[in-house]
Amino acid sequence: MDTSETMERAEYVYRMDDEESVTDGVITAVGNATGLSMTEVPPLHESVDVDALNDLFSDSYDGTSRNRGRIGFMYCECKIHVCSTGRVLVEPDEN
């Protein structure tokens, strides 16, 4: 499935700013999409390795931006897709 297909099905699309960590972006996106406050959502580290998630989209060792890639995982009963473009797509789980 490509990113455009995912975006069409996404319930909520959040654009992270350049200074925001990926994990903060995921928590904000899920909170906005579900109406839950940041204190009501479960800890993200119970669903995904947060250090690895942040490292995946951080600049490479030579300082160049990682401008390609995407990862998906389940969190807070939603399918989450994080794209290297800075978008977080939140899709409610249909099960």
Side-chain angles (χ1 to χ4, degrees):
M1 162 186 352
D2 67 22
T3 304
S4 62
E5 287 178 44
T6 305
M7 286 186 65
E8 288 175 13
R9 290 197 327 258
E11 179 81 16
Y12 184 82
V13 179
Y14 177 75
R15 175 81 169 131
M16 292 181 288
D17 65 41
D18 293 337
E19 302 302 315
E20 188 173 24
S21 71
V22 175
T23 52
D24 287 345
V26 168
I27 292 168
T28 300
V30 169
N32 291 345
T34 62
L36 298 172
S37 72
M38 294 187 63
T39 60
E40 294 175 311
V41 295
L44 184 57
H45 70 266
E46 292 179 357
S47 296
V48 67
D49 181 330
V50 293
D51 291 330
L53 181 61
N54 283 323
D55 288 348
L56 256 171
F57 296 103
S58 65
D59 290 344
S60 61
Y61 290 113
D62 65 3
T64 58
S65 176
R66 296 183 190 193
N67 58 3
R68 294 180 53 178
R70 179 175 64 124
I71 188 167
F73 56 92
M74 293 297 297
Y75 174 59
C76 202
E77 299 182 15
C78 296
K79 294 176 186 174
I80 309 299
H81 302 273
V82 180
C83 305
S84 60
T85 59
R87 288 191 175 135
V88 179
L89 313 171
V90 180
E91 181 182 351
D93 187 21
E94 296 174 0
N95 294 327

